[in-house]
Each structure stands twice: as structure tokens, then as C-alpha cells.
Amino acid sequence: MIHPIDGMAVMPETQAPWPARDNLRITAVRSIVTAPEEVPLVVVRVDTSEPGLYGLGCATFTQRFHAVAAAVDQHVGPMLIGRHPADIEDITRMIHLSSYWRGGPVLNSALSGVDQALWDIAGKRAGMPIYELLGGRVRAAADTYLHAGGTTVEETIENAAAILADGYRNVRLQTGAPGLGNYGAPGSPGGYPASPYPDGWDVQRYLRETPKLFERARAELGEEPGLMHDVHSRLTVKQAVALARALEPYRLFFLEDPIPPELYDRLPEVREAAPMPIAAGEQVASVADAARLVRDGGVDLLRLHVSAVGGLTPARKLVALCELTGVGTAWHAPADVSPIGAAANVALDVTSPAFQIQEGHVYPEAVHEVFPGTINPVNGYLYPNDRPGWGIDIDEAAADRYPPVTHLHERWAARVRRPDGGIEAP
């Protein structure tokens, strides 16, 4: 049998050592990269020998999309040709173990694309949405929050009020500061004229100003909305504890990623000292590392980019661990998660009692054009599609009209610096 993409012979070593119950086989695997919202999204398409039966999965690692696409097309894809698409557990384990230095966000994203595409095929074969394959719903929909940012506190509060007026009950707040190195909100002119790098990001200013933002938010938005804040991994352990305690009067729903992943062994210290729940994990690219966060008491809410740990199959195992240990889930899902990845998040949300809150994103019309079936929040809730599989397709002609641009994130990240010129985490 010949690989239909590049003529490579199928590797007999990758075939299962047991006979399949029918003649259905995987015939092609390929990546599709598109950027309808100017954010590169990677999707894997898995075709089968049954005409019209194919699956789609999210493999998005926005900053390294070329590497993921190459991993899918040149390494992972050829291993799947001739396999039965129902063997999801064996196939995903085989892919994970096929690289001697295994894991990492590139290979895991490629694995996620395959994994979610195989689940999509399973749902289509069964005539069922994925959430039914996972055991059915324990809730109707996933409560959602959106992000509100602004150059000033006033602008942030105004944007947050507009989100709440649209029916949302939860909002994440970020306010910019002078300079270029802000996260989640635009910077403002001024900077630090006397410094070597006047457009830098100043941690002391951040620690002073952030509590003022939430004092104003509670005064103007009221007591009911759930308020969140993302530190984006820029603080030391002591700074994170100081910020958490300063924010105590404003009763945050959670404080997100207070310290960098290199210091995650100290997250239990931060969590123990913080008066609000701690959410972390979006930079984790290992199932084992994610499990340690839960097992070792580092998080109240596990917040993963599901593609980075390998897709739905490993994520649902982590969900079970969260259920057993009393940890909640709050999956990462901004614009750099494809609509298929967002659908996978929602399938996990509505099928597990561990669910706490879901990051939402309102996809613009161009994304709906490329991905028919894309789900958007309704009155602050995300409802899963009821169609078989993910209920989402891809229009490849439309996808081709939105080619990705390389190095958008890198150009910004290179300028995230402190006032003394030192590089800062983006």
C-alpha cells in the first residue's frame, strides 16, 4: 500500500497485531493551516476508505505551526495509513512512543490533531456527538468568560460592562501600562524616559496598579460578576503571594498563571498563601506535568491548552484525575484554539462534574466561513453541537483565502522587556 500524499510505502510495523472487524481503513492524513482571524490555526484531516467519511482535529500551536504541519505530514501521518480509525488508544500511544525524545508541544499538537480527528470519525460512524461518546452530559452548557482589556482602567471597566450587558456573568480584566510589553491590553505612550528601555514593562508598577483595577471593578460592576486576572507567568513566588493578598478584598473567581512554568514545583506555596483559587497550566506540554499539578496541590483549576498535551484522549484522563481530587477544569481557549479545539473543550466541559468555567472566544464571520458549525457563546454559555462528531467542517477553498503569516508572535515577544532592557516572559 502506498501513502497517497508523498508516495511513501506504508510501514507494516505500525499495523495493529489483531485483525480489524471490518475493512474500514485510514487512507490519508494531512495538515491544513489557515488564519481567518490572522492567527495561524492547524487542523489535521484524516480520510478513510469509506467515501465521505473523514475526521478533523485541532493541532494548533500558533507560534510553531510550520513545525507541527511538518510533524503531521512527514512523520505522524505515514504511520496511520492502513490502520483502522477505531483504534484510537493504540494509535495515539504508538504516536507518542514513536519518538525517542517524546512529548513537547510540537509532537503533542500533531498527536492532538490525529486524536481529535479519530474521535470525530468515531462520532460520525456512531451517528452521535462526541459528548455522548464520553458518557453524556452532566450539564446543558458550559458557563463562559470573555476577556476585557484597555489602555486605562476606565477603558477596561467600560469593556467589561459591555461584556456583562451581553449576558455574560464572568469577565477577565487586564489593563495596560506605559510601554510595549503589556499582556492582554494595549500599552500607552509615555514609558520611562530616563530608562535604557523606555517602553519596558515594570513589575513594581504592575503590582501597584492591578489592585486599583479590581477595586474600581467591584465598585462599578458590582458584587455578582465573576472576575478573573491573568498574571501571565511574570512574577516570582513572593511577588505572586503579595499580589494575591492585595487582591483578596475583591473576591476573584481565580488568579491565573501567577508564576512561570519553570517554578511550578512551588505553586503549592502560592496556592496555600493565596486567598482565591489558582488556575494554571496553559503552558504545560506534558500529561505527566499536568497530572503533577493536580496531584501535588498546585492548582485549584487545571487550565490546559488541550492540543499541547495530545488531544482529547489524554485530556479526558486528566479530567478523571481532577474529579477524584476535587480540582476543577478551566481549559485554555482564546483565538489560538481552532473551532474544533473549542468544541473538544466544550465536550469535556459538559460531560464532567470537575468543570468550573470555560474561557470563551467570539469567532468572527471569517472563521465561520472557514469552519462551518463553529460554536459561539449564547447568553454567556457554550452549547455543544448535536451533530455527529464535532459537528464542524472545514471549507478548504475558504481556508486557502486566509494564509498564515510567520513570526507575528515572535516580533511582539522580542520587544517584551523591562525598563532596564532585560527580556521578559511574553
Side-chain angles (χ1 to χ4, degrees):
M1 189 172 183
I2 301 298
H3 190 291
I5 299 174
D6 57 14
M8 294 174 58
V10 173
M11 296 176 285
E13 296 85 355
T14 67
Q15 304 309 297
W18 53 82
R21 68 175 182 273
D22 57 40
N23 293 323
L24 182 66
R25 296 292 184 272
I26 295 171
T27 57
V29 181
R30 57 190 173 90
S31 64
I32 303 166
V33 184
T34 183
E37 200 176 352
E38 299 183 350
V39 178
L41 304 174
V42 185
V43 171
V44 172
R45 173 167 168 155
V46 175
D47 287 287
T48 73
S49 55
E50 180 178 321
L53 178 61
Y54 59 89
L56 300 173
C58 181
T60 300
F61 178 12
T62 294
Q63 297 84 22
R64 295 293 182 269
F65 65 88
H66 288 298
V68 175
V72 171
D73 296 337
Q74 303 300 322
H75 297 284
V76 172
M79 298 176 65
L80 273 65
I81 307 305
R83 290 296 306 263
H84 196 289
D87 293 337
I88 300 174
E89 190 73 36
D90 185 70
I91 289 173
T92 55
R93 183 169 169 79
M94 177 187 69
I95 293 170
H96 174 68
L97 296 174
S98 67
S99 173
Y100 183 71
W101 285 278
R102 50 189 178 260
V106 172
L107 181 58
N108 279 349
S109 295
L111 173 56
S112 170
V114 168
D115 173 75
Q116 293 182 21
L118 295 178
W119 278 98
D120 193 25
I121 291 170
K124 290 174 178 176
R125 293 179 68 210
M128 299 164 61
I130 301 299
Y131 68 79
E132 290 190 1
L133 297 184
L134 299 181
R137 285 191 273 196
V138 298
R139 59 181 52 82
D143 199 7
T144 305
Y145 69 90
L146 294 185
H147 177 82
T151 303
T152 64
V153 169
E154 291 77 13
E155 186 179 354
T156 300
I157 301 300
E158 180 181 335
N159 290 336
I163 289 171
L164 296 172
D166 280 342
Y168 294 86
R169 291 152 297 281
N170 312 282
V171 62
R172 187 174 66 186
L173 305 179
Q174 316 284 139
T175 293
L180 301 171
N182 295 279
Y183 165 72
S188 59
Y192 307 88
S195 75
Y197 194 78
D199 288 326
W201 183 83
D202 182 12
V203 65
Q204 295 304 322
R205 179 191 292 268
Y206 168 76
L207 291 172
R208 288 194 308 270
E209 298 300 320
T210 301
K212 298 176 185 178
L213 165 64
F214 282 88
E215 180 181 24
R216 184 81 168 269
R218 276 296 176 216
E220 298 194 21
L221 301 177
E223 298 297 320
E224 292 187 5
L227 303 181
M228 298 90 165
H229 180 68
D230 187 359
V231 179
H232 226 240
S233 307
R234 289 185 176 183
L235 299 181
T236 66
V237 171
K238 289 289 188 181
Q239 289 168 344
V241 170
L243 177 64
R245 288 176 173 168
L247 293 172
E248 181 175 8
Y250 314 115
R251 299 169 300 284
L252 270 63
F253 192 106
F254 65 63
L255 184 66
E256 179 182 343
D257 285 329
I259 60 175
E262 293 82 3
L263 300 178
Y264 273 1
D265 61 317
R266 299 189 66 187
L267 261 177
E269 294 177 48
V270 178
R271 179 173 174 245
E272 183 176 2
M276 73 285 290
I278 297 298
E282 73 181 55
Q283 290 177 283
V284 168
S286 158
V287 174
D289 287 344
R292 290 185 192 102
L293 283 180
V294 176
R295 181 197 68 192
D296 296 346
V299 292
D300 297 285
L301 294 97
L302 184 63
R303 179 172 160 73
L304 297 179
H305 185 86
V306 168
S307 296
V309 297
L312 183 71
T313 296
R316 63 196 292 260
K317 297 174 182 179
L318 290 168
V319 166
L321 179 61
C322 289
E323 292 174 359
L324 293 171
T325 54
V327 171
T329 63
W331 309 118
H332 183 243
D336 54 358
V337 172
S338 78
I340 298 160
N345 289 339
V346 175
L348 292 166
D349 296 338
V350 300
T351 57
S352 171
F355 168 74
Q356 288 287 309
I357 192 108
Q358 176 61 59
E359 180 175 14
H361 179 68
V362 180
Y363 290 103
E365 185 56 38
V367 175
H368 287 264
E369 176 191 2
V370 174
F371 295 97
T374 291
I375 56 177
N376 269 341
V378 178
N379 295 322
Y381 287 100
L382 282 165
Y383 292 82
N385 284 325
D386 287 329
R387 293 184 293 278
W390 301 123
I392 298 174
D393 207 346
I394 187 167
D395 183 331
E396 295 195 50
D400 288 343
R401 292 196 289 272
Y402 300 99
V405 176
T406 308
H407 299 313
L408 290 177
H409 179 85
E410 291 91 329
R411 290 188 179 103
W412 172 70
R415 299 196 297 169
V416 180
R417 295 179 180 271
R418 306 183 191 111
D420 64 5
I423 196 82
E424 182 55 83

